[in-house]
Amino acid sequence: MAELVYPPVVAACKTMFRVLDLRIRLVDTEHIPRTGGAVIACNHVSYLDFIFCGLGALPADRYVRFMAKQQIFEHRIAGPLMRGMHHIPVDREAGQASYDEAVDRLRAGQVVGVFPEATISRSFTVKGLKTGAVRMAADAGVPLVPIALWGTQRLWTKGRPRKLAQRHVPVEIHVGAASYPDPGDDVAGATDDLRARMQTLLDEAQRAYPDAPGEGEQPWWLPAHLGGAAPLPE
């Protein structure tokens, strides 16, 4: 597969990160397999998460093909980029075709990225997960790798103004050990296990985060259980 678009997009993003002096830290990227197919399941706190999740796979020299809603592919600017990077459009009225394409890509040795929460978590905890990530990994016979992002919500998240030019923001990218779902597994149970592992990774990323609120502060970007002003999960 020719990679004419992905490399320059990655280079442009890295240049922007340097200009903004984003303090990006990648942890345990050795869990990303260097060959063969794999499903990456990432938490979702920002509209920019696909960029940073994809960044977590670059040390393994892998490009992630994300599953994204069809409307993005129809955008006059984003659409050509998404198609050029060989991401996978998801039509929610015909989801089986997208699922089948993702499984075919995995069997062909590609890395497919999904956000199993399906939408941004405004509580900044891991929401309930859809079962697709587990089912795809099982059907394709590939590892399932969790990733947790933290800090990206400070740049652009649901219900908050964009701050894409904000400088010096720390971003944590934590990669977890792979699991190997089997077609005979209890899908609901395996999905619950994935959610628990993603939340553990997120907890680690939050503990490691170098920015902390001042005394008496209740910042919007922290979850309620850490003293922040984000909405409760319910």
Side-chain angles (χ1 to χ4, degrees), residues 44 46-53 120 149 152 155-156 164:
H44 205 5
S46 165
Y47 292 110
L48 305 176
D49 287 340
F50 70 97
I51 298 174
F52 292 94
C53 182
I120 288 174
L149 304 177
T152 59
L155 299 171
W156 189 15
L164 302 181

Side-chain angles (χ1 to χ4, degrees), residues 38-154:
V39 175
I40 288 180
C42 189
N43 72 313
H44 205 5
V45 293
S46 165
Y47 292 110
L48 305 176
D49 287 340
F50 70 97
I51 298 174
F52 292 94
C53 182
L55 198 64
L58 289 181
D61 199 26
R62 306 302 302 272
Y63 290 133
V64 182
R65 317 299 174 178
F66 286 98
M67 301 186 75
K69 58 186 180 181
Q70 177 68 42
Q71 292 92 319
I72 300 175
F73 290 79
E74 295 168 356
H75 190 274
R76 64 185 182 87
I77 297 174
L81 293 174
M82 296 292 283
R83 291 188 292 274
M85 290 186 281
H86 308 293
H87 295 312
I88 302 170
V90 177
D91 183 347
R92 292 184 178 177
E93 295 182 0
Q96 188 62 45
S98 303
Y99 180 91
D100 291 344
E101 181 179 352
V103 171
D104 287 345
R105 300 273 200 101
L106 291 165
R107 289 173 175 161
Q110 296 184 34
V111 179
V112 173
V114 297
F115 295 99
E117 295 167 280
T119 186
I120 288 174
S121 170
R122 299 185 69 171
S123 68
F124 305 137
T125 60
V126 180
K127 296 160 61 74
L129 306 186
K130 305 294 186 182
T131 60
V134 168
R135 291 187 292 110
M136 283 192 297
D139 287 349
V142 301
L144 173 60
V145 181
I147 287 184
L149 304 177
W150 188 243
T152 59
Q153 77 278 14
R154 297 177 68 181

Side-chain angles (χ1 to χ4, degrees), residues 24-48:
I24 298 171
R25 192 169 78 104
L26 290 85
V27 178
D28 294 336
T29 57
E30 69 274 8
H31 292 310
I32 304 290
R34 290 187 168 271
T35 59
V39 175
I40 288 180
C42 189
N43 72 313
H44 205 5
V45 293
S46 165
Y47 292 110
L48 305 176

